[in-house]
Amino acid sequence: ALDSGARAAGFKSRKEAGMMEEQGFIFVSSANSTTAFHTDNEQNLFVQLRGRKYFHAFENDARDVVSDVDLESYPGKHRNHPYEESMEDRAIVYELASGDGIFLPYIWPHWVKVGDDVSISMAINWKTPAIVRNNKLLFANGILRRMRMPQSPPGTYHMWDNIKVFGYTFSRAMIEPLR
């Protein structure tokens, strides 16, 4: 599926398209259940296999929907975000039936409602080097903010971003062998 997607985007291969850390998930969901409002830290090709799902998605530059601070991560922080019903008028709602699919871009906030029957769906996720770098920045910002050090969103100060990415990468290189 990812090879086909890369070719459709004009690349010869997934590798040339920068796709990495590919993963696949199968979701079996009860009728009328919901998935909380959250963001995913990767690209997502989502396919509905059985039943219906209603995807409520919000554009990822809507920082009044999910703030830069809410996008930050650190150990133990959940990826769910505060949701207010008043935001729903800004949602793009996709009704997915068996055989339908959508592409959900990186950090697009969304929540999902299952229809009146059991649902089976599949998500194929991947990251790019730019996403991996931004995730490192979001993690570094989250850790530094927990240390009471205010942080600017990624891309505000490129030099500081580079320092934080280096610090994250160096720290992980030191910690991983201990795991």
Side-chain angles (χ1 to χ4, degrees):
L2 293 180
D3 283 334
S4 178
R7 284 191 301 275
F11 298 99
K12 293 179 184 172
S13 67
R14 291 191 321 258
K15 183 176 180 180
E16 184 182 296
M19 294 178 176
M20 53 197 282
E21 298 184 30
E22 299 101 337
Q23 296 181 318
F25 299 93
I26 299 290
F27 299 102
V28 179
S29 307
S30 299
N32 301 308
S33 62
T34 51
T35 301
F37 186 58
H38 68 282
T39 54
D40 296 323
N41 287 338
E42 63 273 324
Q43 307 275 29
N44 187 349
L45 180 60
F46 190 89
V47 180
Q48 186 65 20
L49 303 174
R50 180 185 189 281
R52 290 194 180 277
K53 276 195 175 174
Y54 301 87
F55 242 87
H56 298 246
F58 300 78
E59 293 194 24
N60 70 340
D61 61 353
R63 291 295 168 257
D64 56 325
V65 174
V66 176
S67 72
D68 287 307
V69 172
D70 284 338
L71 288 175
E72 294 173 357
S73 62
Y74 51 82
K77 181 180 179 190
H78 203 279
R79 65 188 176 133
N80 291 354
H81 302 294
Y83 179 78
E84 295 179 25
E85 189 66 37
S86 62
M87 299 186 305
E88 191 59 30
D89 63 337
R90 297 177 56 192
I92 306 163
V93 182
Y94 300 93
E95 180 179 351
L96 303 178
S98 298
D100 291 337
I102 63 168
F103 169 67
L104 192 66
Y106 172 65
I107 63 172
W108 274 45
H110 60 283
W111 69 276
V112 183
K113 172 85 170 130
V114 176
D116 293 334
D117 197 4
V118 171
S119 166
I120 302 174
S121 48
M122 175 177 65
I124 303 169
N125 301 331
W126 70 95
K127 296 176 184 170
T128 64
I131 288 172
V132 170
R133 183 178 191 281
N134 202 63
N135 286 346
K136 290 177 180 181
L137 286 170
L138 293 173
F139 189 88
N141 281 356
I143 293 292
L144 293 169
R145 188 177 305 281
R146 285 192 58 123
M147 296 168 53
R148 307 223 186 289
M149 299 169 68
Q151 298 301 304
S152 299
T156 305
Y157 299 105
H158 297 290
M159 182 182 74
W160 285 116
D161 287 353
N162 291 338
I163 291 168
K164 288 187 256 187
V165 168
F166 174 80
Y168 174 94
T169 303
F170 179 79
S171 298
R172 289 298 295 229
M174 301 308 289
I175 293 170
E176 284 305 314
L178 302 174
R179 292 183 156 192

